Amino acid sequence: MNQFSEQIAEEYLYDLESERRVLSSMLHNEDACIEAHDALASTDFYSPRNATIFALACSLYEREIHPTYVEIIKEGHGLGLLTHPREVEELKYIAEHYIDDENIKYWIKKVKDKARLRKFEVFLKENYQRLAEMPDQDVEQMLMAAEEQLTNLTALEIDDHVDSPAEMAALGYDEVERRFLRFKEIRELHKGVIPLDGLSTGFENLNHITLGYKPGDLIILGAQTGHGKTAFALHTARTVAVEHGKNMLYLNTEMSRQQIALRWGSILSGIEHDRIRTGEINESELSVILNGYSSLRESGFYSYPCPNLTPEKTISIARKFKAQKNIELMVVDYVGRMEKVDPRLSEWQILEQIVKTQKMLAQNLKIAVMCLVQLNPDGTLQGAKRMKNECDLMLKLAPIPREDREENEEIARYPDANYYLIIEKNRDGRSGVSIPIVFDMQKQSMRDAQRIDQR
Amino acid sequence: MQREEKQLYDETASQIADLTLREVISPEEMHFLLTILDLVMIHRDEPELLAFLKQWMQVYKASETDDIIKATLLATDLKDKEIIGTNLNILRGLLEDK
C-alpha cells in the first residue's frame, strides 16, 4: 500500500521538471517572470528549494531587478538561504537547463495543476480520516462539508469565495455603516466636501456622482477625433499621478515619446501647446515650463508608447507595472488603434473583445482601467451596447451644441463651458447626466465649468 | 548569449558562490566578483573599470597598495557610474605610484 502511494505521488502529485522549467524561464526571460509572478505562488511548488528560488525571483522582480542566476545567488546568500555548495549546484542545474520553447504558460499550468492535485489529495486524506474516526456522524452534514471543500478546490482561483447569507449581511451592514460615518464626517469636518472611494477624476462634479475611479472599474471615454481624448487622459493623469502622487501607467498607441512629453509641458505650465511645440516662448515662460516638468519628475506617471499594442500585451505590461510599481490606474489611449489579433473579426467584435479583456484585467489586478475610444462622426459608438454592458462607467466628451447655449437656461448659467462630459452609464450611481466643462484645446487643459447663479 | 558563453557564465557564477560557501572568499568579494561577471557578460559595460582590473592584475603582488586598491574596489557601488569614475581616477593614481 505504501509503495503504491509513493508511486502515485511520484507520477501524479508533483512534476519537478515543470517546476524547473518555470524557474529557469524566469531566470532568462522577463515575459516568463511576468506570467509566473502573476499566476503562481510559492505554495504551488512541491520542492521547498524550488519554492524558495521562486520567492527570491519574485522578490527581486518586484524591486525591478531581473532575477538572473547571479542575482539569485547574491540575494539567496545575503538572506542566508544559500548555505551549502549543494544548493548552489541545484540552482546551477536549473539555470543551465533553460530551453527557450516559448511555452511558459504550458509549464505554469502543469505546476498549478499539480498543486491543485496535492490539495485534492489532502482533501481525500482528511475526509477518509474523518470517516474512520467518527463512523456514526451525521452523513448529510459530513457530505455537505466535503462538498463545500471540493467546490473551493474546483474553483479556478484560490481566492474565489462564495458568500454565505451571514457574510453578505455583515458585508452590507459594514458598507452602509462606513458610508453613514463618512457622511457624518463630511458634514462635521469636511464642510460638505465628499471623500472619494477611489482615485479623483479631476472634475468635482464627476467625483460627486462617481466617488472616483475605483479598483476593478473599467471606464470608457468616447470622443470624436480631435475632441480631447488624449487631453482627457492626460488631465486624469495630472490629477492622479501629479497632484495625488499615485502610480499609474499610460499606454499610447499613436503618439511618440516626444509628443507626449511636449503635451505635458503645456498641461503643466498653462502655455499654449502650439507655442511650446514651435519653441515660440520667452525666458520666463521657459522657467514656468521647467517648474511644471519638475512636478512631473516627482509624480507617479509611467508612460509606454506602443504603436503595435495588442490586448495580450496590455495584460503583460499591466501585470509588470502592478508588480513593480503598484499602479492604481492604467489608461489605454486608444483602443481603436490596437492591432487586430484575428483579421476575420469585424471592428465591433474586436472592440468588444478588447473591452472584455480590460475589464478582467481591472478586476484581477484591482486597478482602475480607462479605455479611450473613438466616436463615429454622428457621435455614436460602434458596438456601444456591448461595451456599455462590460464597463462600469461610460463617458462621452462632446462640444456643447449652439442650440443648447442659446436655449438651455441651465447651460446659460455656465458661461465659460464649451464641452459636455456626458455620463452614459454609471454602475454605482446616477447616469444620463451632462456635466458642463471647459476644454482649452490650445493649453490642452480641462476643468469644471463655473456656475454663476442668477439674481 | 551563445551556448558556450552561457556555460562559462553559469560555471563562473557557481565557482564564485562555491568559494564563498567554502569560506575561501568573503561575501563582499563574492558580491563584487558576481557584479563584475554581470558587467562583462550581460551588460557589456564599464570597459574602463575592466581595463583597470586587467592592468592591476598584471602587477598584483599582495602589497599594502594592492590591499588599499582591493578595499576601495569592494566599497565601490558598481551601480553608480559617477562613483566608479571618481574611484577609478584615485585607483589609477595608486597604481602609478606602485
Side-chain angles (χ1 to χ4, degrees), chain A residues 22 30 32 42 128 154 163 192 206 270 314 335 356 449:
Chain A
V22 170
E30 190 178 7
S42 298
Y128 183 75
T154 51
D163 283 312
L206 190 59
T314 60
V335 295
K356 271 189 174 164

Side-chain angles (χ1 to χ4, degrees), chain A residues 219-230:
Chain A
I219 304 113
I220 292 180
L221 182 277
Q224 288 177 28
T225 310
H227 279 286
K229 281 195 298 296
T230 297

Side-chain angles (χ1 to χ4, degrees), chain A residues 28 65 68-71 73-74 77-78 82-85 88-89 92 95-98, chain B residues 6-7 9-11 13-14 17-18 20-22 27 30-31 34-35 37-38 42 79:
Chain A
H28 291 90
I65 302 167
T68 58
Y69 178 39
V70 156
E71 292 296 346
I73 291 178
K74 282 189 206 165
H77 187 267
L82 281 180
T83 52
H84 197 278
V88 177
E89 274 305 309
K92 186 181 160 214
E96 275 178 349
H97 286 77
Y98 171 60
Chain B
K6 194 185 140 24
Q7 223 169 353
Y9 174 79
D10 291 342
E11 196 57 50
S14 306
D18 194 63
T20 316
L21 295 176
R22 291 182 201 284
M30 176 192 81
H31 210 272
L34 288 176
T35 308
L37 180 65
D38 262 358
I42 307 266
K79 283 176 189 149

Side-chain angles (χ1 to χ4, degrees), chain A residues 180-447:
Chain A
F180 164 73
L181 292 172
R182 188 181 62 188
F183 191 77
K184 226 168 107 177
E185 195 184 317
I186 296 162
R187 270 196 314 207
E188 289 165 10
L189 291 172
H190 300 290
K191 298 188 174 98
V193 179
I194 298 180
L196 302 174
D197 269 351
L199 302 166
S200 175
T201 66
F203 299 97
E204 278 301 315
N205 291 324
L206 190 59
N207 279 347
H208 192 82
I209 294 171
T210 62
L211 298 180
Y213 302 139
K214 296 168 276 296
D217 272 1
L218 174 67
I219 304 113
I220 292 180
L221 182 277
Q224 288 177 28
T225 310
H227 279 286
K229 281 195 298 296
T230 297
F232 186 89
L234 293 180
H235 174 75
T236 307
R238 178 189 183 153
T239 308
V240 171
V242 180
E243 288 169 12
H244 291 91
K246 307 276 186 191
N247 287 354
M248 63 159 289
L249 176 64
Y250 175 64
L251 303 176
N252 193 301
T253 55
E254 55 179 2
M255 283 165 73
S256 67
R257 296 172 63 231
Q258 287 79 2
Q259 284 173 313
I260 296 168
L262 284 177
R263 288 250 186 158
W264 271 114
S266 179
I267 291 165
L268 295 167
S269 66
I271 294 167
E272 289 85 349
H273 184 240
D274 274 349
R275 289 210 291 125
I276 289 183
R277 216 160 40 87
T278 54
E280 201 187 324
I281 46 173
N282 58 40
E283 277 173 5
S284 70
E285 283 172 328
L286 187 64
S287 114
V288 172
I289 294 168
L290 191 68
N291 243 343
Y293 281 122
S294 74
S295 61
L296 182 64
R297 192 178 303 123
E298 305 298 320
S299 77
F301 178 79
Y302 293 90
S303 176
Y304 189 93
C306 190
N308 49 357
L309 193 65
T310 61
E312 289 71 27
K313 215 180 229 178
T314 60
I315 295 173
S316 164
I317 298 166
R319 282 175 179 168
K320 176 184 157 95
F321 278 84
K322 177 70 185 176
Q324 296 186 336
K325 301 287 177 197
N326 195 23
I327 52 164
E328 294 183 46
L329 170 72
M330 179 172 84
V331 178
V332 184
D333 183 1
Y334 70 102
V335 295
R337 279 270 314 171
M338 274 201 198
E339 295 239 313
K340 286 188 181 186
V341 181
D342 185 347
R344 288 166 303 178
L345 296 177
S346 59
E347 191 80 16
W348 68 266
Q349 283 175 311
I350 293 164
L351 284 177
E352 186 192 5
Q353 206 180 44
I354 293 169
V355 165
K356 271 189 174 164
T357 313
Q358 303 308 313
K359 175 63 189 170
M360 240 160 41
L361 193 61
Q363 285 179 313
N364 289 342
L365 298 184
K366 297 182 177 64
I367 59 172
V369 175
M370 178 185 284
C371 288
L372 307 188
V373 294
Q374 190 161 304
L375 298 180
N376 295 326
D378 62 357
T380 59
L381 176 64
Q382 254 176 342
K385 202 174 165 194
R386 287 164 190 270
M387 278 208 202
K388 218 169 171 177
N389 286 340
E390 294 298 331
C391 73
D392 302 278
L393 184 65
M394 188 178 231
L395 305 169
K396 275 188 187 176
L397 196 60
I400 298 177
R402 193 192 292 171
E403 309 88 79
D404 270 22
R405 283 175 190 276
E406 288 166 1
E407 293 161 19
N408 187 329
E409 278 182 29
E410 183 56 26
I411 285 302
R413 292 181 182 174
Y414 296 88
D416 56 353
N418 59 351
Y419 268 71
Y420 276 136
L421 186 55
I422 306 155
I423 305 177
E424 294 253 317
K425 178 190 174 180
N426 178 15
R427 208 187 285 279
D428 285 340
R430 268 191 303 154
S431 59
V433 183
S434 295
I435 301 171
I437 64 163
V438 181
F439 171 29
D440 188 328
M441 210 176 274
Q442 270 305 306
K443 293 178 182 169
Q444 290 293 303
S445 67
M446 289 184 176
R447 62 174 171 83

